[in-house]
Amino acid sequence: MIIANRNLNGLSDGIYVMRHDNNLLVKRLQLLPEGIIKVKSDNNMYEPWEINKKHLNGTDIELIGRVVWSGQRM
């Protein structure tokens, strides 16, 4: 379970919910120079990938919100 703030006022390093190719993902984003964003997973089985900031909120990639709380059932 997570709570995401959908009111995005700018972009900074953090954990975000994003839509990529019609899939919802929760990924850690890291801002790099020249408008590049590194998309990382806390699961080491997935390699990090990079996108250009100008491609956000397009047809393939959309930021839904920033994760502000997470919890899990045991």
Side-chain angles (χ1 to χ4, degrees), residues 46-59:
Y46 295 96
E47 293 290 324
W49 45 284
E50 295 179 354
I51 57 174
N52 192 301
K53 188 175 181 178
K54 65 183 177 184
H55 293 132
L56 285 180
N57 299 326
T59 56

Side-chain angles (χ1 to χ4, degrees), residues 5 8 10-11 13 16 24 27-29 35 38 40 46 54-56 62 64 67 69 71 74:
N5 181 356
L8 294 171
L11 185 64
D13 290 0
Y16 289 84
L24 285 179
K27 296 292 182 182
R28 191 174 299 275
L29 301 185
K38 183 179 274 190
K40 302 188 291 186
Y46 295 96
K54 65 183 177 184
H55 293 132
L56 285 180
E62 176 186 11
I64 304 299
V67 175
W69 180 86
M74 298 302 218

Side-chain angles (χ1 to χ4, degrees), residues 7-63:
N7 185 16
L8 294 171
N9 293 329
L11 185 64
S12 61
D13 290 0
I15 301 173
Y16 289 84
V17 178
M18 60 190 296
R19 182 186 54 77
H20 182 259
D21 292 332
N22 292 321
N23 296 305
L24 285 179
L25 307 172
V26 178
K27 296 292 182 182
R28 191 174 299 275
L29 301 185
Q30 179 184 5
L31 301 179
L32 300 174
E34 300 182 24
I36 302 299
I37 300 171
K38 183 179 274 190
V39 181
K40 302 188 291 186
S41 176
D42 287 350
N43 183 340
N44 292 332
M45 291 184 64
Y46 295 96
E47 293 290 324
W49 45 284
E50 295 179 354
I51 57 174
N52 192 301
K53 188 175 181 178
K54 65 183 177 184
H55 293 132
L56 285 180
N57 299 326
T59 56
D60 295 329
I61 301 171
E62 176 186 11
L63 285 183

